[in-house]
């Protein structure tokens, strides 16, 4: 019925049964609407796996539409929504498997339980009378065996012992019959086995046809798909976590390398600055020495060439003198002689 409805929806649209008035307020579904099954969009819906089985989950409350699924696969947002939908499906599947594993655990404990032997049931009056007769016969035979043994009649004694053994076997069967029935029941129960995939009870060493029928059954295949998806999802998640860890480690290594290069470059720049400063200091000292040497040389040259004394005197001598000023200065310096 659901398949036919889906086919009609695909051919005629979801609003095929609505009136004109209803169609005016009708909204066409999109794949990202809440009414659409995200599990069906991305992988499979668990509600579809166990129909008409002991694990039937009932119909899915959300919409399954092949056209919406195709629209989702062609959408530019497909890759962005797949992780989200897969995480939701994995969470749902993990709950299913947890419930199933509890059933498997209970079934395993049930099979592993040792059935305690029941106390022997009281014998009936008839069996009690038969047991009394057997015990009396055994007593008489044992006395005869003892007498024959003392008389040295070994062959006769061995023949009677065979009769004693037969009577003992008959006595054991008479007294242990209920316990033997319990042992048979226990042995029969031990032949049961449990399917670890879907939790079904099986008959151990059953016919190959029945085993194949179970393996290809809907419940076994459904739980196999659920378990495989969980394993695949966890593996992909672990792989992504490992890649993220490696990326962080590489980033840390790159950062350390950059810091190391920066420190090395800083040391190199500091060395260059020190070298330039030393070079500048040497240059300053060289310039100071040159300037000092120049000044000393200039003073020496001046001294040699009489700039401080001779040149001035030459200059004074060569400069014309004023008689009046000279006579006045000389008269002021010379003592006054009296004649």
């Amino acid at each position: 019925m659901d398949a036919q409805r889906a086919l009609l929806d695909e051919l005629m649209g979801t609003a095929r049964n609505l009136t004109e008035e209803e169609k005016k307020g009708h909204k066409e579904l999109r794949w990202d609407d809440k009414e659409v099954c995200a599990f069906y969009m991305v992988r499979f819906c668990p509600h579809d796996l166990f129909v008409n089985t002991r694990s039937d989950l009932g119909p899915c409350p959300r919409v399954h539409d092949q056209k919406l699924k195709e629209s989702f696969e062609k959408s530019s947002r497909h890759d962005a929504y797949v992780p989200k939908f897969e995480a939701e499906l994995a969470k749902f599947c993990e709950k299913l498997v947890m419930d199933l594993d509890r059933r498997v655990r209970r079934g395993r404990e049930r099979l592993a339980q040792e059935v305690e032997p029941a106390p022997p049931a009281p014998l009936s009056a008839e069996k009690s009378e038969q047991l009394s007769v057997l015990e009396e016969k055994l007593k008489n035979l044992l006395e005869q065996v003892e007498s024959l043994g003392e008389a040295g009649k070994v062959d006769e004694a061995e023949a009677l012992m065979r009769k004693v053994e037969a009577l003992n076997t008959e006595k054991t069967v008479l007294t242990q019959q209920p316990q033997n029935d319990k042992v048979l029941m226990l042995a029969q129960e031990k032949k049961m086995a449990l399917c670890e995939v879907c939790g079904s009870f099986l008959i151990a060493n059953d016919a190959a046809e029945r085993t194949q029928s179970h393996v290809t059954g809907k419940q076994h295949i459904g739980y196999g798909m659920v378990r495989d998806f969980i394993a695949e999802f966890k593996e992909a998640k672990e792989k992504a976590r490992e890649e993220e860890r490696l990326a962080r480690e590489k980033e840390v290594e790159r950062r350390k390398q950059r810091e190391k290069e920066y420190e090395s470059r800083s040391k190199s720049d500091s060395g260059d600055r020190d070298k330039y400063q030393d070079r500048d200091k040497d240059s300053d000292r060289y310039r100071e020495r040159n300037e000092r040497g120049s000044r000393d040389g200039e003073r020496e040259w001046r001294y040699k060439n009489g700039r401080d004394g001779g040149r001035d005197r030459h200059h004074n001598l060569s400069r014309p003198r004023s008689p009046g000023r000279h006579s006045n200065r000389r008269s002021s310096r010379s003592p006054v002689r009296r004649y």
Side-chain angles (χ1 to χ4, degrees), residues 280-299:
D280 292 341
K281 290 179 181 178
D282 293 340
S283 178
D284 292 340
R285 285 195 294 268
Y286 178 77
R287 188 166 51 252
E288 287 178 0
R289 285 198 300 268
N290 288 340
E291 291 177 355
R292 191 165 55 249
S294 298
R295 287 195 299 270
D296 293 342
E298 184 178 355
R299 281 197 298 270

Side-chain angles (χ1 to χ4, degrees), residues 191-221:
K191 289 182 180 178
M192 296 298 293
L194 187 69
C195 178
E196 297 290 338
V197 176
C198 64
S200 301
F201 283 98
L202 307 172
I203 299 176
N205 301 322
D206 200 359
E209 293 80 6
R210 291 174 61 85
T211 303
Q212 184 66 22
S213 176
H214 168 75
V215 171
T216 57
K218 185 180 292 185
Q219 180 167 304
H220 186 89
I221 292 177

Side-chain angles (χ1 to χ4, degrees), residues 200-329:
S200 301
F201 283 98
L202 307 172
I203 299 176
N205 301 322
D206 200 359
E209 293 80 6
R210 291 174 61 85
T211 303
Q212 184 66 22
S213 176
H214 168 75
V215 171
T216 57
K218 185 180 292 185
Q219 180 167 304
H220 186 89
I221 292 177
Y223 276 114
M225 289 177 62
V226 169
R227 291 182 183 276
D228 290 344
F229 170 71
I230 292 175
E232 180 184 346
F233 178 79
K234 288 182 177 179
E235 183 180 356
K237 194 173 181 181
E238 185 64 27
K239 183 178 179 182
R241 190 180 296 114
E242 182 67 17
E243 291 177 352
E244 184 178 355
R245 185 185 66 82
L246 292 175
R248 285 199 303 270
E249 290 180 355
K250 289 182 179 179
E251 180 62 27
V252 170
E253 289 296 328
R254 283 196 295 267
R255 190 180 301 116
K256 289 181 179 179
Q257 186 65 26
R258 286 197 298 268
E259 291 175 356
K260 190 181 297 183
E261 292 176 356
Y262 176 76
E263 291 177 0
S264 177
R265 195 162 51 246
S266 298
K267 289 180 180 179
S268 177
D269 294 343
S270 176
D272 292 341
R273 284 196 300 273
D274 294 340
K275 187 187 299 182
Y276 293 147
Q277 289 175 359
D278 293 341
R279 187 180 299 170
D280 292 341
K281 290 179 181 178
D282 293 340
S283 178
D284 292 340
R285 285 195 294 268
Y286 178 77
R287 188 166 51 252
E288 287 178 0
R289 285 198 300 268
N290 288 340
E291 291 177 355
R292 191 165 55 249
S294 298
R295 287 195 299 270
D296 293 342
E298 184 178 355
R299 281 197 298 270
E300 185 178 357
W301 182 83
R302 287 178 179 176
Y303 178 76
K304 288 180 178 181
N305 290 277
R307 183 173 182 182
D308 292 336
R311 187 178 177 185
D312 290 341
R313 286 194 299 270
H314 177 74
H315 179 71
N316 292 332
L317 291 173
S318 61
R319 187 171 54 189
R321 297 180 181 179
S322 174
R325 187 174 57 185
H326 179 70
S327 60
N328 290 336
R329 184 172 59 180

